Amino acid sequence: MVFGLILPVGMMESADAQSTYTDITNHWARTCIETLAQREILSVFSSETFLPEDPIQRVEFASVVRKAFPTVEPVRDPVEFIDIPTDYWGREIIQDAYRSGFISPYSGRTFNPTQVIPRWQAIALLTTGLRYKSPENGLETIEASLADWEQIPEYAREAIAAGIQNRLVVNYPDPRTLNPTEPISRGELASMICQVQEDIDAIALVPQQYVASPDAISTAETPPVETPTAETPTAETPTVETPTVETPPVETPTAMPPTSPTAIAAGNQRWQTAVLTNVLNFQPTGITPDSQVEQCVTDTNGTRQCESISASMDAIELAIDGQGFIMASGHRGADLAPINLWDLRTGDRIRTLEGHRGRVGALAIAPNGQRAISGGGDGEIKIWDIRTGTLTQTLTGHTSEVTGLAIAPDGNTAISSSRDRTVKLWDLNTGVVLRTLDDRQTAMLDVAVSSDGRMAASSSEDGLVRVWNLQTGELIRTISADIKAVRTLAFSPNGQTLATGGEGTIRLWNIANGDLLRTIARNPEASFFEVAFSNNGETLVGTVQEGDINAIRVWDVRTGALLHFFPTAAAAIALTPDGQTLVGGGWDIKIWRMP
């Protein structure tokens, strides 16, 4: 059965004549990939590079099958996935693929668009969408075709058998090894798409010696005991016995690392290089994801108040040094709240610093990377020597939880906000309070310093933002953000724009006159906790909680368009100074390489 993917021989000649991608010259599925690219079936990926060994995500899979099989009739009504916002770039793609039966929910009413798809699942989704029927001897077909068939989930074996019967399953370099639990790569998915067409023999888009069949396993050097079931060779068997005809380049197998990077789904071409490169998992001593820990703060009357809170979102603050080499993460703690120092180049934890009680909800690292400052639920600010892990000084002056910290570019001055309703400016060399910038009747929630060190901004629970001259302490202006509480602040790299986030909105403001430039996000059901500009100021990254869904979003600053959305339980974010690395912190710490 064929669904809309019929490629004439003339088109194949055109694909041979010029290469669509620059990185598939020696790839075993090059002919197939180029042909699909010319049909714009692979348009979800970059126009210059294909990255054939990168894994496929669910939203990317939906895009490819939607374009490859446009004539498949819908089999079910659309469903509203709770983790796909209305402005998500792939929303329509996902709905079309779901309605046609090519993809199903990830769990319940969640879709999880950036989850990678294992090989067995991709094949099962294709055979289901193409309405392939499993052969009567389905289990025997799998046993005779795949040496690792037992790794396939039992409930998916009939669908895999249907794929084998229809010659859809392509296994490079060994046709009898499926590696069912490994993520399917872009090149592998393309090869299976190419198998679903009538004129495959005329075009030979895919080297047929890599196609799984009972005959492929019967030629193995160590056949399993079930091989007698494969003694009836098919008409295509001679192609299996002549693998040297295609002469695959010897370097191609090395291009398939055991753990491929996880690509992030993208809304436009320049985001296609973003990949999830590492996950740093940690569990501080005595704390598990289900733990309840005690958080204590001292109120303005000096009374210490404690409450039991969940430790499931453990990393609540992140900071990165000026070189992008060292990262600090602040956590809750049952007794002494820890600060972890990480080497971003290797993913190794360098050391753990302990000293705060309650939680570490504010962190900053000096641009030269030599010292870090931290603010705790105990109201104290501590200065650490990053090279030795030594606590060099404890600054006292706040009487309640420190909520925000920022260090000026010179590395000698810091600004802090606190629930004691004050914002203070500190000399980090002497530990002296230089001045109290703000003292109001509401808790202060965050502070930020411009890249040139001339201005600072503070926010509070009353929805007001104040911009200060950092040298003189003079109040430049007050901005009403028109929300109940402004939780987060960020200056653009050029110092001309201020981003604010909180209950329901993220907005951009003109620093020169205090005018509203743009509302980036507006959702009364959402809470925005942190924002950060890219190093070129073109994009804004933010953490958001919408109902039960936690996510990181990326917006285009100039247009306000949502470029990127991926669900992840991140309580904190940080960008390296070069803008190439985004870190999200929650119970684990995820690192993304950005375009």
Side-chain angles (χ1 to χ4, degrees), residues 167 200-201 208-209 213 215 233-242:
R167 299 187 62 79
I200 188 68
D201 294 330
Q208 295 297 287
Q209 65 265 33
S213 71
D215 309 292
T234 65
E236 293 81 8
T237 302
T239 65
V240 179
E241 297 175 351
T242 58

Side-chain angles (χ1 to χ4, degrees), residues 175-419:
R176 67 191 186 95
T177 302
L178 178 63
N179 292 319
T181 60
E182 292 296 314
I184 190 168
S185 70
R186 296 178 178 185
E188 290 165 342
L189 178 63
S191 69
M192 294 184 190
I193 296 292
C194 284
Q195 284 294 98
V196 188
Q197 54 177 308
E198 292 175 333
D199 50 357
I200 188 68
D201 294 330
I203 298 178
L205 295 179
V206 179
Q208 295 297 287
Q209 65 265 33
Y210 305 136
V211 178
S213 71
D215 309 292
I217 201 170
S218 68
T219 62
E221 295 179 2
T222 55
V225 293
E226 295 87 350
T227 46
T229 62
E231 288 179 287
T232 21
T234 65
E236 293 81 8
T237 302
T239 65
V240 179
E241 297 175 351
T242 58
T244 57
V245 172
E246 298 295 327
T247 319
V250 294
E251 64 268 19
T252 303
T254 62
M256 299 179 67
T259 55
S260 300
T262 305
I264 296 177
N268 59 31
Q269 299 297 344
R270 74 184 184 89
W271 281 89
Q272 296 308 317
T273 58
V275 294
L276 172 62
T277 58
N278 196 8
V279 176
L280 310 179
N281 292 311
F282 58 86
Q283 294 185 357
T285 303
I287 298 179
T288 70
D290 299 321
S291 292
Q292 293 290 311
V293 299
E294 193 175 62
Q295 174 182 326
C296 300
V297 297
T298 301
D299 63 22
T300 54
N301 297 321
T303 303
R304 190 169 176 80
Q305 298 180 342
C306 300
E307 61 176 335
S308 181
I309 60 175
S310 172
S312 60
M313 291 291 287
D314 186 60
I316 55 177
E317 187 66 21
L318 299 172
I320 298 175
D321 76 334
Q323 303 299 314
F325 296 157
I326 304 297
M327 181 185 70
S329 57
H331 308 273
R332 300 182 178 104
D335 185 14
L336 296 180
I339 299 168
N340 286 306
L341 296 181
W342 305 88
D343 188 328
L344 281 178
R345 295 162 295 182
T346 64
D348 295 330
R349 181 161 50 182
I350 301 170
R351 61 177 56 91
T352 296
L353 313 175
E354 291 186 341
H356 286 288
R357 295 185 180 276
R359 69 175 193 167
V360 179
L363 277 174
I365 299 180
N368 61 12
Q370 295 183 6
R371 60 184 173 188
I373 60 173
S374 58
D378 49 17
E380 296 179 340
I381 296 174
K382 297 183 182 293
I383 303 178
W384 308 86
D385 186 318
I386 288 182
R387 295 165 296 182
T388 64
T390 305
L391 174 62
T392 61
Q393 199 169 7
T394 297
L395 310 183
T396 58
H398 285 301
T399 58
S400 188
E401 178 186 4
V402 178
T403 56
L405 283 172
I407 299 178
D410 62 10
N412 297 318
T413 308
I415 185 173
S416 62
S417 59
S418 172
R419 289 192 177 276

Side-chain angles (χ1 to χ4, degrees), residues 138-200:
L139 183 58
E140 290 82 355
T141 297
I142 292 180
E143 292 177 355
S145 304
L146 302 173
D148 53 358
W149 66 272
E150 291 181 325
Q151 298 178 31
I152 301 170
E154 188 172 347
Y155 57 84
R157 291 175 183 173
E158 293 296 316
I160 303 301
I164 293 173
Q165 176 176 263
N166 288 275
R167 299 187 62 79
L168 178 142
V169 181
V170 181
N171 298 327
Y172 175 86
D174 179 6
R176 67 191 186 95
T177 302
L178 178 63
N179 292 319
T181 60
E182 292 296 314
I184 190 168
S185 70
R186 296 178 178 185
E188 290 165 342
L189 178 63
S191 69
M192 294 184 190
I193 296 292
C194 284
Q195 284 294 98
V196 188
Q197 54 177 308
E198 292 175 333
D199 50 357
I200 188 68

